[in-house]
Amino acid sequence: MARREKAGATAAPKPKKQRWKRTRQLKQVYDMTVRVDPSAKWWLLLALVGPIVLGLVVGLLVDHPIYFTILGVLVGVLAGMFLLGRRAERAAYMNLEGQKGAAGAALSSIRRGWTIEQEPVAAEARTQDMVFRGIGRGGIVLVGDGPPTRVRKLLEAERRKVARVAPNVPVHVFTVGDGGSENEVPLRKLASRVQKLKPQLTKAEVAAVHKRIRALGGIRPPVPQGIDPMRARPDRRAMRGR
């Protein structure tokens, strides 16, 4: 019994190690954010120092400088953490912009209410344009990853395929861009735009739609280069030799 208690005590994580791990993760987030968005450090400094200075001034006016300064420190830390989270998210999207598969990564940030395909459901080998798909109570979402004017054909082909197996389900088509048209959404706003879609299906209907859409499958693997099964010919000399 004593051995079990001792083993359990040994396995429990030490608070110091946990604090150090969290501090290191926080530093990594800060370094990434500042590297992508250098102006973030000044906004973070303002969010931290501003409440402290304000608390000190108010404290001096009401003759309670220590109390209001401590309150300013707490508010400053909370404001700094909140701003760091927002700036880190923005920096992550800035880092993704222009990369292939960025639309899929943005969709994957949706945690609840939607089932997001991790792999593209359609792709163009020559241009490397892709289409990603999500299914939720708002219907079916198709997002084109590529120049909006070029990826529309690929999106329309996928929309027709989806409409055949789920004819009464709303299909929302988006492209990633600067928001020049109604269905063109900036990458950083893609997840929130999908989450704001009005629910039109029940949970049971979503499961049924997901089952139907699964029948479409994914991208077929390409035939290895140098092999064309439609032009393959038997070796007649070898056959005669047998």
Side-chain angles (χ1 to χ4, degrees), residues 21-150:
K21 185 178 180 180
R22 290 171 185 168
T23 303
R24 187 171 55 185
Q25 290 174 345
L26 191 62
K27 185 179 183 305
Q28 290 174 350
V29 172
Y30 172 81
D31 290 341
M32 183 275 294
T33 304
V34 173
R35 184 173 63 251
V36 178
D37 183 12
S39 65
K41 59 184 176 182
W42 302 113
W43 287 106
L44 290 170
L45 183 63
L46 179 62
L48 178 63
V49 176
I52 297 175
V53 174
L54 181 61
L56 178 60
V57 172
V58 173
L60 291 173
L61 291 175
V62 299
D63 201 21
H64 290 285
I66 297 178
Y67 172 77
F68 279 94
T69 301
I70 294 174
L71 185 62
V73 170
L74 295 176
V75 173
V77 170
L78 290 175
M81 294 294 291
F82 175 78
L83 185 60
L84 178 60
R86 295 296 298 271
R87 285 280 174 166
E89 182 180 2
R90 179 182 174 185
Y93 283 123
M94 289 173 63
N95 206 24
L96 281 173
E97 285 180 356
Q99 297 186 24
K100 295 299 180 182
L107 278 179
S108 298
S109 65
I110 301 175
R111 299 299 179 189
R112 298 179 59 185
W114 289 84
T115 301
I116 307 298
E117 302 284 346
Q118 297 300 315
E119 299 295 331
V121 295
E124 177 63 45
R126 183 176 59 84
T127 60
Q128 294 186 348
D129 294 337
M130 293 175 278
V131 175
F132 291 89
R133 184 174 63 213
I135 303 172
R137 293 193 61 190
I140 300 170
V141 168
L142 299 175
V143 181
D145 191 318
T149 55
R150 194 176 66 196

Side-chain angles (χ1 to χ4, degrees), residues 119-180:
E119 299 295 331
V121 295
E124 177 63 45
R126 183 176 59 84
T127 60
Q128 294 186 348
D129 294 337
M130 293 175 278
V131 175
F132 291 89
R133 184 174 63 213
I135 303 172
R137 293 193 61 190
I140 300 170
V141 168
L142 299 175
V143 181
D145 191 318
T149 55
R150 194 176 66 196
V151 79
R152 284 173 186 164
K153 185 177 180 180
L154 193 64
L155 272 170
E156 180 60 23
E158 190 63 25
R159 188 195 65 78
R160 288 197 297 265
K161 286 171 57 179
V162 167
R164 283 198 298 268
V165 298
N168 299 320
V169 178
V171 180
H172 308 277
V173 178
F174 298 109
T175 56
V176 175
D178 56 6

